[in-house]
């Protein structure tokens, strides 16, 4: 694994002349931020050695190097989901590569189902913490001390300073944000009403099928993390209706520009 990470990092370094400090992972259909990136170099996943290839509809699958609000960044448009069949080492491989090319901060976005009864469809939730309910752990198996410690601390998995900054950016721009705990689960089914109730009971505010593996690996690697979720449907008693992938994307599309604005200003401040 170490050799693969190095090989991929070397390949990417040979293509880029900049040294981005921040990496961004864009969730399901959340490519709007890409329209704001200037001086773009696009690298399709299938051309990157050792990279898994994304398959699901709505995920176009490329790395984008460029500037966001004038700051050098590296963005992943489309991520690798556990439910697609990738193992956790593949799901989190891009984060390892980001670290190996010198990236220090990871910004992640996703779509989720809200289980907090105060939430509304279309809310932007700043992720304050997560609960890992995936059936496989990305750090299971031999630990490579070069990558991080055997027992990583997770007491501040989402950097408080980034949360504070994002909240001020939202206030300044008149963008409504909520905060909460993201429950990560394997999918690909959306939840039954009882499962939504369970996620609320254990302390969740929203549930989704991604993010947690990448954030665990970023923490293992000593990176600082910021996460934001678009609440595309509600798993709240009395408000549960049928959810479709298309609806999730439609709501995501509507709210994305607000998320983009927060990310764009945040990269300048971190
Ligand atoms: N559950 C899980 N993942 C999701 C949901 C949901 O309700 N909405 C968007 N992603």
């Amino acid at each position: 694994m170490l050799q693969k990470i190095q090989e991929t990092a070397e390949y990417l370094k040979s293509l880029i002349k900049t040294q981005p400090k921040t990496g961004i992972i864009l969730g399901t259909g959340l490519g709007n931020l890409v329209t704001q990136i200037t001086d773009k170099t696009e690298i399709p996943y299938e051309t990157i050695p050792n990279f898994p290839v994304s398959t699901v509809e709505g995920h176009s699958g490329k790395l984008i190097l460029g500037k966001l609000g004038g700051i050098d960044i590296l963005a992943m448009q489309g991520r690798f989901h556990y439910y697609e069949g990738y193992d956790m080492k593949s799901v989190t491989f891009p984060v390892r590569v980001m670290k190996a090319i010198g990236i220090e901060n990871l910004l992640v976005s996703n779509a989720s189902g809200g289980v907090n009864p105060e939430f509304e469809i279309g809310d932007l939730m700043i992720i304050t913490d997560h609960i890992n309910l995936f059936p496989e752990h990305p750090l299971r198996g031999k630990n490579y001390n070069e990558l991080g410690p055997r027992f990583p601390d997770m007491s501040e998995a989402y950097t408080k300073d980034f949360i504070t900054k994002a909240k001020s950016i939202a206030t300044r721009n008149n963008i409504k944000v909520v905060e909460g705990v993201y429950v990560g689960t394997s999918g690909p089914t959306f939840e039954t009403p009882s499962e939504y109730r369970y996620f609320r009971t254990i302390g969740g505010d929203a549930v989704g099928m991604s993010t947690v593996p990448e954030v665990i690996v970023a923490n293992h690697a000593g990176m600082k993390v910021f996460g934001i979720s678009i609440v595309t449907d509600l798993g709240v008693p009395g408000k549960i209706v049928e959810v479709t992938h298309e609806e999730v994307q439609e709501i995501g599309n509507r709210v994305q520009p607000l998320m983009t604005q927060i990310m764009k200003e945040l990269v300048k401040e971190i």
Side-chain angles (χ1 to χ4, degrees):
M1 175 163 76
L2 295 179
Q3 201 189 327
K4 280 190 175 164
I5 295 166
Q6 278 317 319
E7 202 176 278
T8 309
E10 290 308 322
Y11 174 78
L12 292 175
K13 278 198 250 177
S14 74
L15 296 181
I16 62 178
K17 290 143 222 79
T18 54
Q19 176 55 67
K21 199 171 116 183
T22 299
I24 303 174
I25 302 178
L26 298 169
T28 310
L30 304 183
N32 166 275
L33 181 136
V34 172
T35 63
Q36 300 289 310
I37 304 177
T38 58
D39 307 280
K40 259 188 268 192
T41 308
E42 303 197 355
I43 312 169
Y45 292 159
E46 56 270 24
T47 67
I48 306 174
N50 306 319
F51 240 57
V53 176
S54 194
T55 51
V56 176
E57 191 190 338
H59 304 211
S60 51
K62 55 191 173 206
L63 277 189
I64 300 160
L65 279 139
K67 289 184 194 294
L68 182 63
I71 306 292
D72 287 323
I73 53 106
L74 183 157
M76 276 182 75
Q77 185 172 13
R79 56 150 62 90
F80 304 106
H81 294 89
Y82 184 72
Y83 64 73
E84 292 175 83
Y86 301 108
D87 62 23
M88 283 300 191
K89 296 283 188 278
S90 303
V91 169
T92 57
F93 183 75
V95 179
R96 294 290 184 204
V97 173
M98 283 186 189
K99 172 72 182 186
I101 63 175
I103 288 175
E104 296 165 21
N105 304 320
L106 181 68
L107 274 45
V108 290
S109 65
N110 61 49
S112 65
V115 293
N116 181 328
E118 315 225 309
F119 286 2
E120 292 169 28
I121 288 181
D123 274 351
L124 273 176
M125 182 183 93
I126 294 178
I127 304 176
T128 54
D129 202 359
H130 73 220
I131 297 174
N132 177 20
L133 291 184
F134 282 89
E136 189 192 331
H137 198 286
L139 303 181
R140 193 172 84 91
K142 179 173 164 54
N143 187 65
Y144 295 95
N145 292 325
E146 301 93 313
L147 299 181
R150 171 74 289 187
F151 300 108
D153 172 60
M154 291 291 283
S155 61
E156 194 183 323
Y158 299 80
T159 303
K160 286 205 179 90
D161 177 50
F162 292 0
I163 295 172
T164 308
K165 288 189 160 88
K167 280 161 62 181
S168 334
I169 293 166
T171 309
R172 212 159 62 212
N173 286 278
N174 246 323
I175 298 171
K176 180 197 173 196
V177 288
V178 295
E179 289 173 71
V181 175
Y182 177 90
V183 180
T185 181
S186 75
T189 44
F190 293 112
E191 286 66 31
T192 64
S194 303
E195 286 164 347
Y196 281 126
R197 194 171 66 234
Y198 160 63
F199 292 143
R200 181 66 187 152
T201 305
I202 63 170
D205 294 288
V207 53
M209 306 173 196
S210 67
T211 302
V212 166
E214 294 110 312
V215 170
I216 289 173
V217 165
N219 273 270
H220 183 240
M223 297 163 85
K224 289 186 174 174
V225 175
F226 174 74
I228 191 161
S229 187
I230 299 181
V231 177
T232 55
D233 52 275
L234 291 174
V236 170
K239 294 189 187 168
I240 299 177
V241 290
E242 191 187 336
V243 194
T244 66
H245 183 57
E246 289 68 31
E247 267 168 355
V248 166
Q249 291 202 318
E250 198 266 311
I251 306 286
N253 283 339
R254 260 191 358 227
V255 186
Q256 281 189 75
L258 305 176
M259 190 188 81
T260 298
Q261 187 62 28
I262 293 174
M263 297 267 214
K264 192 171 167 179
E265 294 193 30
L266 186 61
V267 294
K268 291 189 213 174
E269 296 183 22
I270 61 179

